Amino acid sequence: MTSIDLNADLGEGFGRWRLTDDEGLLSVVTSANVACGFHAGDAATMRWVCELAAERGVRIGAQVSYRDLAGFGRRAMDVPSAELAAEVAYQIGALEVFARAAGARVAYVKPHGALYNRVVRDEEQAGAVVEGVRLADVTLPVLGLPGSRFLKLAEQAGQPVVTEAFADRAYTDEGTLVPRGQDGAVITDAAAVVERSVGLARDGAVMSRSGDRVMVRARSLCLHGDTPGAVELAHRVRGALKSAGVRVEAFV
């Protein structure tokens, strides 16, 4: 039976401000990408999400980013490699404290936002993120876009790699994500997101923005938690996957 992991970005709040329905999403997903304080999240939020995830058997992942709270980690930044590597390791270490306190561990690492997109092609920044992950733990799997420089460098360094797809993001003909600033970059039609989820999980393919069929072999499917009706949509996606004979399970 075909299987796939469902991941979502969680803990993306700060202080009294909350963006995602963490409790609701943790009832659906199998892996939680927890914000580590650089693009969102704070100590109390990280601790709470780790406790909830551990209680429900959801794997905890460190969602590392550029230091950009004001821009939610979605602004392009130029950070020296040594500094970026240290900041990646720092974020993983911070989340690991709360994961261990909850009786779990950080199970994987996923870059966020501008950093995620940058390491698809940027050799230097991708190498810095890999170095930062390895500073924290040489056994940690990394989650990223198929064919990215990030995954290739991680694999070369001996780090486990996991490919990821996005049902609610438009793809180019080359299999990369359409930048968020462009029209149609985010798929808002719920039925389309559900249909694309099944296609990605079962067939490893998705239609690009231009209408071409693009192969996207992925072990994990991302459900964005900051979209309207995210929890209801996540339940629909999981139900559709089950109906299509796809088993939903964590990749680690």
Side-chain angles (χ1 to χ4, degrees):
M1 180 184 288
T2 301
S3 66
I4 198 159
D5 170 69
L6 293 181
N7 77 76
D9 302 343
L10 301 178
E12 291 185 323
F14 196 82
R16 297 178 64 184
W17 177 71
R18 292 287 181 269
L19 177 64
T20 51
D21 182 351
D22 297 324
E23 193 163 6
L25 287 166
L26 282 169
S27 68
V28 186
V29 301
T30 46
S31 296
N33 317 316
V34 184
C36 299
F38 272 37
H39 75 280
D42 55 34
T45 301
M46 291 161 68
R47 180 181 182 183
W48 178 69
V49 173
C50 283
E51 288 173 349
L52 278 179
E55 286 173 5
R56 300 180 184 192
V58 176
R59 301 302 186 270
I60 297 169
Q63 188 166 39
V64 299
S65 74
Y66 288 125
R67 189 189 292 271
D68 182 26
L69 276 175
F72 197 61
R74 288 181 175 164
R75 298 185 292 191
M77 302 183 75
D78 290 314
V79 180
S81 294
E83 182 179 338
L84 180 58
E87 292 192 337
V88 166
Y90 178 91
Q91 292 175 77
I92 297 168
L95 187 64
E96 178 69 7
V97 169
F98 299 117
R100 286 194 182 191
R105 296 290 301 273
V106 170
Y108 64 95
V109 178
K110 173 184 172 178
H112 164 81
L115 183 59
Y116 186 99
N117 293 321
R118 181 76 170 266
V119 299
V120 169
R121 295 188 176 92
D122 191 309
E123 185 98 5
E124 183 179 351
Q125 296 280 278
V129 176
V130 171
E131 181 185 351
V133 174
R134 291 181 65 78
L135 278 172
D137 186 341
V138 295
T139 68
L140 274 178
V142 295
L143 190 59
L145 203 68
S148 65
R149 294 305 303 159
F150 173 51
L151 291 193
K152 288 181 179 178
L153 291 177
E155 191 169 33
Q156 289 171 10
Q159 213 76 16
V161 301
V162 181
T163 53
E164 177 183 39
F166 297 81
D168 61 353
R169 290 294 306 277
Y171 279 81
T172 68
D173 293 342
E174 292 73 38
T176 58
L177 299 179
V178 174
R180 278 184 175 269
Q182 295 184 18
D183 290 340
V186 179
I187 311 299
T188 57
D189 180 78
V193 173
V194 172
E195 181 181 0
R196 288 161 69 90
S197 298
V198 173
L200 284 162
R202 189 178 57 192
D203 307 320
V206 68
M207 298 300 291
S208 72
R209 187 170 61 171
S210 69
D212 286 342
R213 191 170 187 263
V214 178
M215 301 308 295
V216 183
R217 300 292 184 186
R219 179 65 187 86
S220 186
L221 184 65
C222 181
L223 305 173
H224 281 107
D226 59 347
T227 55
V231 176
E232 180 184 353
L233 179 57
H235 278 289
R236 287 183 59 181
V237 167
R238 183 154 185 166
L241 290 170
K242 182 179 180 180
S243 297
V246 178
R247 184 172 62 249
V248 176
E249 61 181 7
F251 60 81
V252 288

